C-alpha cells in the first residue's frame, strides 16, 4: 500500500514539475499530520495532497479528502510556515489520479 502511495506521489510530482512547479519538500511530517508535496508555483507556495483511487466503489479521489483531513493538512502547513520566513501567498491543491492513470490537478482545492 505504501508503495502505491509513493508511486502516486511520483506521478503527481512529475506532473507538477512538467507544468513549471519547483519542489520545496516531499512528505513533510509533524505532529499535526503530513503534507505529501510542497511546491512553488510561480510566486505561490502550494501544499499538495495526492490521492489515487483505483476504482470508485467508495467514492472518487476528491471525496477522500475529508474535512478532517483538510484540517490536518492546514495545521501541518501552519506548523511548516511557523518555522520559516515565507513571504508568499499560499494555497492548498490536490492532485487526483484515477485507476486509468488520468491526472487532475485541482488548484485551490480547499482553503484554510
Amino acid at each position: 500500500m505504501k508503495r502505491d502511495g509513493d508511486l502516486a506521489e511520483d506521478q503527481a510530482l512529475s506532473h507538477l514539475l512538467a507544468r513549471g512547479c519547483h519542489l520545496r519538500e516531499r512528505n513533510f511530517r509533524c505532529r499535526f499530520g503530513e503534507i505529501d508535496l510542497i511546491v512553488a508555483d510561480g510566486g505561490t507556495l502550494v501544499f499538495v495532497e495526492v490521492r489515487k483511487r483505483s476504482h470508485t466503489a467508495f467514492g472518487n479521489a476528491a471525496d477522500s479528502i475529508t474535512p478532517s483531513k483538510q484540517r490536518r493538512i492546514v495545521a501541518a502547513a501552519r506548523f511548516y510556515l511557523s518555522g520559516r520566513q515565507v513571504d508568499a501567498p499560499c494555497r492548498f491543491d490536490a492532485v487526483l489520479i484515477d485507476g486509468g492513470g488520468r491526472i487532475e490537478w485541482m488548484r485551490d482545492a480547499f482553503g484554510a
Side-chain angles (χ1 to χ4, degrees):
M1 199 73 165
K2 173 74 170 126
R3 179 144 167 74
D4 289 341
D6 291 343
L7 291 173
E9 286 177 12
D10 290 344
Q11 288 178 289
L13 180 57
S14 293
H15 185 83
L16 295 172
L17 293 176
R19 282 148 187 81
C21 292
H22 301 279
L23 181 65
R24 294 289 182 239
E25 193 150 347
R26 185 171 179 169
N27 299 118
F28 173 77
R29 290 180 176 86
C30 67
R31 66 178 182 241
F32 301 108
E34 178 186 355
I35 301 171
D36 295 327
L37 301 170
I38 302 172
V39 299
D41 182 18
T44 302
L45 187 64
V46 184
F47 301 97
V48 182
E49 176 68 7
V50 178
R51 289 296 178 148
K52 181 175 184 178
R53 283 288 169 102
S54 299
H55 50 80
T56 58
F58 298 105
N60 65 31
D63 293 337
S64 69
I65 307 173
T66 64
S68 174
K69 178 66 174 173
Q70 291 174 25
R71 285 191 296 275
R72 288 193 303 274
I73 295 167
V74 169
R78 286 185 174 138
F79 184 84
Y80 176 87
L81 292 169
S82 71
R84 292 162 178 79
Q85 293 289 328
V86 176
D87 187 27
C90 300
R91 73 173 190 253
F92 295 91
D93 290 4
V95 174
L96 312 173
I97 305 170
D98 69 17
R102 189 179 69 87
I103 297 174
E104 180 183 359
W105 178 13
M106 291 180 59
R107 290 173 179 86
D108 207 15
F110 58 92

